[in-house]
Amino acid sequence: MPDPSVGSPVPGDRVAGDPADEPAVRLQGVSVAYGGRTIWSHGDLEIPSGGLVCIIGPNGSGKTSLLHLLLGMIPPASGTVEVLGAPARRGDARIGYVPQRFGDSVGDAITGRDLVRLGHTGSRWGLRRDRQVTAEVDAALDAVGGREFASRRLATLSGGQQQRIAVAQALVGSPEMLVLDEPLANLDLRNQRDVVDLLVGLREQRHVTMLVVVHDLNPFLPHLSGIVYLLDGHPHYGAVSDVVDGDLLTHLYGTSIQVVRTATGDLYTRART
Amino acid sequence: MTALLAEIGYQSNWVEILGAPFMRNAFIGGALVALAGGMIGYFVVVRGGEFAAHALGHIGFPGATGAVLLGLSPTLGLGVFCVAGALVIGALGHRAREQAVATGTVLAFATGLGILFASMATRNTSTVTSVLFGNLLAVSSDQIVVFAVVAVVIAAVLVVVARPLTLASVSPEVAAAKGVPVRALGTCFLVLMALATTVAVQVVGTLLLFALLVTPPAAALRFSARPVVVCGLGTLFGLVSVVLGLVVSVVFNLPPSFFIVTVSTLIWATSLVSTRERHRSTANVSE
Ligand SMILES: Nc1ncnc2c1ncn2[C@@H]1O[C@H](COP(=O)(O)OP(=O)(O)O)[C@@H](O)[C@H]1O
Ligand SMILES: [Mg+2]
């Protein structure tokens, strides 16, 4: 598997305690299975920290399962999963999570602001009041530009606004890593671009590692540091230039895809007509 | 005029009756039940507790009549069956809700069992009627103690679990990632619901349970989406239903359950109408 962006994975090469050198994610011999049915296997990869990485693959290939694995929500059927230098576990406050179809599941029984607050207090027992939480909630809402509409019920917000609230909810507590599951689904083009700009900006300001499951790479292509692709039942990590390859993408999606480089050097992909 | 009023049961001495000791029990008991139901109200409406209210009411019925058959207190039988039912529903998780036919069959069977127990216990049907339709005017001081204990237990548990339970209710996915025990909290909520059901049945009965456990918070949710406000307002709606229902029932010498349910329904209908504009306009803004 070509992986030029990661240095030699010989342990002796690593400077102990140097966070820049510690990969954000390390899978070794990992497979995922539900009730004996293997979804994918031979997961051996390292994702360097600090980047913006997209996760692609056909429907049902196990992208959400990969995120669940990193979040410790499911155990690997085999192998070891390390996230930010430690075995994956539930409740790791260093990871913020935006699940798939977040707005749909939440409904209209909560306001955006309360939801963001729950990103902080939702895993705490008891009812202690904490003024610092309010400040952090405001900061997270400001970071996504969500102050004006945060007091409204989530279901009354537009798709783009809901996604901003979802990101703010994941941001409180200042995580080192953000994982987002199809944050662009059901958004129109303009909202897609706004959310991409938001995520790219956040990654640059906060130096978080960002893993984003997407169906269409194009909106993220100019900003990516790498791509995880699920192909033929195995996950791979590769540099953008290696993965954005017509033959590979065609194989991946099972439909003919062409990679185009514009005069300015930008890459994009499109279905071959 | 007086004749007409007498015809519909008007009691001219109703002020006097309201001051009687059994009425004091009825008011206190009803208020405690409104409080017990109101505290969990937000979670009831957010978590689809309509299903649980319906199911637990049916499951509790054979518990109450079975206890009478054995010479035990119906409250005890109700409580045991409701809590056991909550644990079973919690263990089945979503499946119980999805398997409509299986669930409906089990609940119908439970009701049948309740009727069988009741007929074996006694020739008269007073237990059946009071479990099915409630009997607030017969609430004893012992029952009041039970109601108070239930309210305190619900409050104490909620103080501990309120926040994780809220997150688990609105976004189970995020809650699970944060290490919140989503399944266990779901079962914990169902047990609280079972306790509230146990006491609410004694006020309005299994058949009218909905009006005291689901309708008030559902009305409150129309006005606010803030958990604390929904619980507070829901409690208030429940209280108004119970108190107003009781007073009117004494004035006309008719069963309180009917008036409690009527007031509760009116509050709900009013909430729908009075917030219709607001809900419509916010829906438009988002487009
Ligand atoms: N909890 C689960 N139990 C059983 N099968 C599951 C579960 N979650 C996902 N699957 C199955 O695993 C496969 C991969 O699912 P998922 O990770 O959601 O894929 P993707 O996100 O790429 O669409 C699908 O076939 C799905 O049906
Ligand atoms: Mg998915």
Side-chain angles (χ1 to χ4, degrees):
Chain A
M1 182 193 70
D3 194 351
S5 58
V6 179
S8 155
V10 179
D13 273 0
R14 228 171 284 284
V15 183
D18 182 354
D21 209 19
E22 185 71 57
V25 171
R26 181 191 287 141
L27 304 186
Q28 285 172 313
V30 174
S31 58
V32 171
Y34 295 104
R37 187 165 73 96
T38 300
I39 307 301
W40 50 257
S41 59
H42 298 287
D44 287 284
L45 57 84
E46 290 191 2
I47 302 175
S49 66
L52 173 56
V53 172
C54 276
I55 299 171
I56 58 174
N59 282 329
S61 58
K63 304 179 294 294
T64 299
S65 300
L66 171 60
L67 297 192
H68 283 182
L69 201 63
L70 302 181
L71 291 159
M73 293 163 72
I74 56 169
S78 68
T80 56
V81 181
E82 271 179 51
V83 181
L84 301 172
R89 62 176 180 89
R90 289 199 326 153
D92 190 335
R94 299 175 302 165
I95 312 174
Y97 176 38
V98 175
Q100 206 167 352
R101 289 190 299 272
F102 179 76
D104 297 356
S105 71
V106 168
D108 79 338
I110 193 133
T111 65
R113 172 176 282 276
D114 280 347
L115 200 55
V116 174
R117 177 174 276 271
L118 283 171
H120 207 303
T121 62
S123 51
R124 289 201 213 154
W125 308 99
L127 288 176
R128 232 172 335 112
R129 275 216 160 270
D130 197 341
R131 202 160 294 159
Q132 196 200 327
V133 174
T134 307
E136 281 196 44
V137 168
D138 285 338
L141 283 171
D142 284 339
V144 301
R147 275 252 207 166
E148 314 95 80
F149 52 78
S151 57
R152 287 171 40 199
R153 295 175 194 239
L154 203 75
T156 67
L157 301 178
S158 72
Q161 290 171 327
Q162 291 185 3
Q163 226 25 271
R164 284 171 190 276
I165 294 293
V167 171
Q169 166 274 134
L171 273 182
V172 283
S174 307
E176 294 167 34
M177 183 159 121
L178 278 184
V179 297
L180 303 99
D181 202 347
E182 303 199 18
L184 304 187
N186 304 322
L187 295 186
D188 60 32
L189 282 176
R190 199 185 136 231
N191 273 306
Q192 284 195 12
R193 207 179 51 222
D194 286 351
V195 170
V196 170
D197 290 346
L198 169 70
L199 294 178
V200 169
L202 282 173
R203 202 206 60 72
E204 279 164 9
Q205 291 154 26
R206 304 198 168 211
H207 308 291
V208 289
T209 306
M210 211 176 260
L211 307 183
V212 191
V213 173
V214 292
H215 268 289
D216 180 10
L217 275 176
N218 287 315
F220 284 101
L221 260 186
H223 314 285
L224 286 184
S225 57
I227 296 171
V228 172
Y229 57 101
L230 280 146
L231 184 62
D232 300 334
H234 313 295
H236 309 272
Y237 175 81
V240 177
S241 55
D242 293 326
V243 180
V244 181
D245 168 277
D247 291 343
L248 178 68
L249 292 176
T250 297
H251 187 43
L252 190 64
Y253 286 108
T255 177
S256 188
I257 288 176
Q258 189 177 17
V259 174
V260 181
R261 189 178 288 277
T262 64
T264 52
D266 287 341
L267 279 175
Y268 70 98
T269 66
R270 69 178 182 206
R272 213 188 301 263
T273 43
Chain B
M1 182 65 188
T2 333
L4 180 67
L5 283 173
E7 186 85 17
I8 59 169
Y10 177 74
Q11 309 189 102
S12 52
N13 60 338
W14 61 272
V15 179
E16 221 170 289
I17 299 172
L18 281 178
F22 75 94
M23 281 310 301
R24 205 196 49 193
N25 277 2
F27 279 116
I28 296 175
L32 284 169
V33 169
L35 182 64
M39 284 189 290
I40 58 168
Y42 177 77
F43 305 105
V44 172
V45 285
V46 176
R47 300 184 65 91
E50 307 86 11
F51 165 77
H54 184 73
L56 292 173
H58 281 69
I59 291 167
F61 179 52
T65 55
V68 171
L69 180 61
L70 297 175
L72 301 169
S73 122
T75 308
L76 181 71
L78 257 177
V80 169
F81 270 59
C82 284
V83 170
L87 294 175
V88 171
I89 298 172
L92 292 176
H94 287 292
R95 274 170 296 161
R97 201 169 311 175
E98 283 156 12
Q99 295 179 354
V101 173
T103 312
T105 306
V106 169
L107 297 186
F109 176 67
T111 308
L113 208 58
I115 292 169
L116 173 71
F117 289 164
S119 73
M120 285 162 71
T122 165
R123 291 250 161 255
N124 81 44
T125 51
S126 72
T127 319
V128 178
T129 329
S130 67
V131 175
L132 287 179
F133 303 107
N135 197 357
L136 188 51
L137 294 178
V139 166
S140 67
S141 303
D142 288 352
Q143 277 172 292
I144 295 223
V145 173
V146 174
F147 292 4
V149 169
V150 163
V152 168
V153 168
I154 290 177
V157 173
L158 277 184
V159 162
V160 178
V161 305
R163 282 169 173 172
L165 180 59
T166 308
L167 182 59
S169 303
V170 295
S171 183
E173 183 82 351
V174 170
K178 285 186 180 295
V180 170
V182 176
R183 281 293 288 273
L185 278 176
T187 304
C188 169
F189 162 74
L190 284 169
V191 170
L192 294 185
M193 180 105 187
L195 293 177
T197 302
T198 303
V199 295
V201 161
Q202 298 171 56
V203 174
V204 286
T206 56
L207 293 182
L208 312 179
L209 202 58
F210 216 83
L212 211 49
L213 290 188
V214 181
T215 310
L221 189 63
R222 298 283 299 183
F223 295 101
S224 172
R226 309 226 41 200
V228 177
V229 178
V230 172
C231 289
L233 208 53
T235 304
L236 182 71
F237 291 164
L239 273 176
V240 170
S241 305
V242 167
V243 171
L244 214 58
L246 261 178
V247 171
V248 179
S249 84
V250 167
V251 171
F252 293 106
N253 192 23
L254 286 167
S257 296
F258 165 68
F259 290 108
I260 293 173
V261 170
T262 304
V263 175
S264 164
T265 306
L266 286 176
I267 291 174
W268 174 74
T270 310
S271 79
L272 283 192
V273 174
S274 65
T275 59
R276 202 180 45 197
E277 272 313 306
R278 187 183 341 169
H279 281 261
R280 189 185 296 147
S281 62
T282 47
N284 285 344
V285 168
S286 68
E287 291 316 312

